[in-house]
């Protein structure tokens, strides 16, 4: 995707290691960061300099490669897995990336591991791009069908950021948007701001703006009202983990959008690469670990001030407690379909995807 008309990925190899776009500084400052050690990669994931399930998985794979450059013993391999797996709990792509690296590296001789790790991490990054492009192609068919029926601008609501910033390129929920826009289908995107970290207001709005796609940022509670008034044609969101029974975990507030879409008979799609499926879990509400983040993300907010500085201010009275659940789970019965690289499937028919793996 483009930033100021230059093509970028969110993570790319450099001589010292890898370079990333520091997402904690967007949309106000575009800055990149070099990750040269395992600790840098772990911190980038934990502090959300990189975020979004697929990009977390790819960064973890590169983190393993960085670790193998320092030491490729069995103990170093085990330690790299331990450190990275503890960085964030909810996106299963983290475990998927780490396990995939471990499975390939463990049987190798130590002297082969550094190069093999580097090559595999790069291959996983390239795969992510190809997978997301395919999600774009399949999801575009849904948008095209709505456009053919309506013959007017298609209004899509999305939550959080599941665009190219959340992946290596293309995005998941926004890949169909980028494909449809490239086809010339008139689009308008409703962007949930996505409190408390505002990935919608800050990241989705920024990346859509960079690609020239019409969009409007709304408060998280506006979606139901827009749906009741015919201003939304479909909802597409990303996800951090889908269970074997098709329950989808995504950024907090996604479940409420699914309920509102259901009540208004609107299609609610979840876009995902198949590495986001956790075949070991069934009931997403009961079994998916939900990350709880620092309460200061709720009690405080940062923004760009007129003097050009980014400042943080407090929103709540000093004595009030705050809770910060970062994700929720939408049951399969509320999901119209899963948009994957293998096509669009019903969330209640995961068997089709299982057979294909
Ligand atoms: O906490 P974040 O910003 O990592 O959460 C991101 C999301 O919830 C995305 O919707 C999800 O990872 C899908 S990314 C393609």
């Amino acid at each position: 995707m483009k930033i100021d008309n230059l093509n970028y990925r969110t993570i790319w190899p450099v001589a010292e290691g890898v370079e990333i776009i520091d997402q904690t500084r967007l949309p106000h400052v575009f800055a990149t960061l070099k990750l040269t050690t395992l600790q840098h990669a772990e911190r980038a994931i934990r502090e959300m300099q990189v975020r979004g399930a697929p990009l977390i998985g790819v960064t973890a794979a590169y983190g393993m490669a960085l670790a193998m450059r320092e030491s490729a013993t069995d103990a170093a391999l085990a330690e790299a897995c331990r450190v990275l797996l503890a960085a964030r709990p909810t996106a299963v792509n983290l475990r998927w990336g780490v396990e995939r690296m471990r499975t390939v590296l463990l049987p190798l001789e130590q002297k082969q591991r550094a190069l093999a790790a580097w090559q595999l991490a790069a291959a996983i990054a390239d795969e992510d791009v190809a997978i997301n492009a395919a999600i774009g192609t399949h999801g575009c068919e849904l948008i095209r069908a709505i456009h053919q029926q309506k013959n007017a601008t298609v209004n899509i609501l999305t939550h959080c950021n599941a665009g190219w910033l959340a992946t290596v390129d293309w995005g998941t929920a926004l890949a169909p948007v980028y494909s449809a826009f490239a086809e010339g289908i008139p689009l308008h995107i409703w962007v949930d701001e996505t409190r408390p970290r505002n990935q919608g207001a800050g990241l989705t709005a920024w990346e859509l703006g960079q690609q020239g796609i019409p969009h409007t940022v709304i408060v998280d509670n506006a979606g139901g009202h827009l749906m009741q008034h015919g201003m939304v044609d479909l909802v597409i969101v990303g996800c951090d983990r889908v269970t074997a029974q098709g329950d989808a975990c995504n950024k907090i507030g996604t479940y409420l959008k699914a309920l509102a879409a259901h009540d208004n008979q609107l299609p609610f799609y979840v876009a995902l690469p198949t590495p986001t499926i956790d075949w070991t879990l069934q009931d997403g509400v009961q079994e998916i670990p939900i990350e709880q983040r620092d309460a200061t993300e709720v009690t405080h907010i940062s923004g760009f001030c007129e003097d050009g500085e980014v400042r943080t201010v407090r929103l709540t009275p000093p004595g009030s407690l705050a809770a910060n659940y970062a994700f929720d789970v939408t049951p399969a019965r509320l999901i119209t379909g899963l948009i994957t690289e293998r096509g669009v499937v019903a969330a209640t028919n995961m068997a089709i995807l299982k057979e294909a793996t």
Side-chain angles (χ1 to χ4, degrees):
M1 289 290 147
K2 291 197 189 309
I3 301 174
D4 292 336
N5 280 322
L6 292 175
N7 278 316
Y8 273 87
R9 284 183 172 189
T10 52
I11 188 165
W12 60 95
V14 291
E16 307 92 314
V18 286
E19 197 158 340
I20 59 164
I21 298 169
D22 182 353
Q23 300 193 24
T24 60
R25 304 192 65 192
L26 289 172
H28 310 301
V29 178
F30 174 77
T32 65
L33 266 181
K34 288 197 174 84
L35 311 180
T36 61
T37 64
L38 166 67
Q39 287 70 27
H40 288 168
E42 185 275 337
R43 179 177 167 224
I45 296 169
R46 183 170 36 82
E47 294 189 356
M48 296 177 64
Q49 290 163 330
V50 290
R51 28 71 48 207
L55 181 56
I56 290 171
V58 171
T59 307
Y62 273 119
M64 299 280 290
L66 292 169
M68 292 300 96
R69 289 199 322 186
E70 285 170 37
S71 167
T73 62
D74 285 2
L77 184 56
E79 177 62 5
C81 295
R82 190 194 63 75
V83 166
L84 288 163
L85 287 173
R88 284 191 79 186
T90 300
V92 76
N93 310 59
L94 172 62
R95 185 180 81 200
W96 174 87
V98 168
E99 293 301 342
R100 189 160 164 200
M101 295 291 287
R102 179 178 14 213
T103 306
V104 170
L105 297 179
L106 198 55
L108 298 182
E109 286 178 36
Q110 280 182 31
K111 60 177 190 299
Q112 297 175 309
R113 283 180 181 162
L115 178 62
W118 204 254
Q119 288 171 339
L120 181 55
I124 290 173
D126 287 344
E127 264 174 39
D128 183 66
V129 179
I131 285 173
N132 298 328
I135 289 172
T137 305
H138 296 303
C140 182
E141 289 172 24
L142 303 169
I143 299 173
R144 197 184 303 123
I146 292 173
H147 180 246
Q148 279 165 358
Q149 196 184 3
K150 159 176 201 204
N151 203 20
T153 298
V154 180
N155 287 296
I156 301 171
L157 186 141
T158 194
H159 190 69
C160 194
N161 174 260
W164 77 274
L165 288 170
T167 65
V168 179
D169 206 350
W170 280 99
T172 57
L174 292 190
V177 167
Y178 292 130
S179 294
F181 189 69
E183 248 183 47
I185 298 173
L187 299 173
H188 168 260
I189 315 301
W190 295 110
V191 179
D192 283 349
E193 61 175 347
T194 320
R195 279 281 291 150
R197 289 186 65 99
N198 297 307
Q199 290 96 326
L203 303 178
T204 300
W206 183 79
E207 65 164 87
L208 289 172
Q210 289 288 335
Q211 315 313 313
I213 298 184
H215 61 279
T216 305
V217 179
I218 50 175
V219 296
D220 290 325
N221 295 327
H225 168 77
L226 297 177
M227 291 179 202
Q228 286 174 324
H229 289 272
M231 295 160 84
V232 177
D233 295 304
L234 83 159
V235 181
I236 312 181
V237 298
C239 66
D240 291 77
R241 200 182 291 222
V242 168
T243 68
Q245 70 178 31
D247 299 338
C249 180
N250 191 48
K251 182 55 53 190
I252 192 81
T254 303
Y255 170 51
L256 294 179
K257 296 300 163 297
L259 284 174
H262 187 71
D263 192 45
N264 288 280
Q265 293 92 47
L266 285 170
F268 179 94
Y269 284 96
V270 175
L272 68 144
T274 49
T276 305
I277 302 170
D278 185 346
W279 295 108
T280 70
L281 302 186
Q282 292 293 330
D283 182 338
V285 175
Q286 297 303 326
E287 298 177 70
I288 296 177
I290 300 295
E291 178 178 14
Q292 288 189 54
R293 298 184 58 82
D294 199 300
T296 55
E297 292 181 354
V298 177
T299 58
H300 290 66
I301 197 163
S302 296
F304 190 75
C305 301
E306 297 301 324
D307 63 4
E309 294 293 318
V310 175
R311 290 202 181 81
T312 301
V313 295
R314 193 172 64 215
L315 294 169
T316 56
S320 296
L321 294 178
N324 190 5
Y325 295 91
F327 297 93
D328 61 23
V329 174
T330 300
R333 66 186 158 78
L334 296 177
I335 300 170
T336 310
L338 303 173
I339 309 172
T340 78
E341 73 274 21
R342 302 198 185 119
V344 181
V345 300
T348 47
N349 190 6
M350 293 293 286
I352 291 185
L353 290 174
K354 181 94 178 161
E355 277 162 24
T357 43

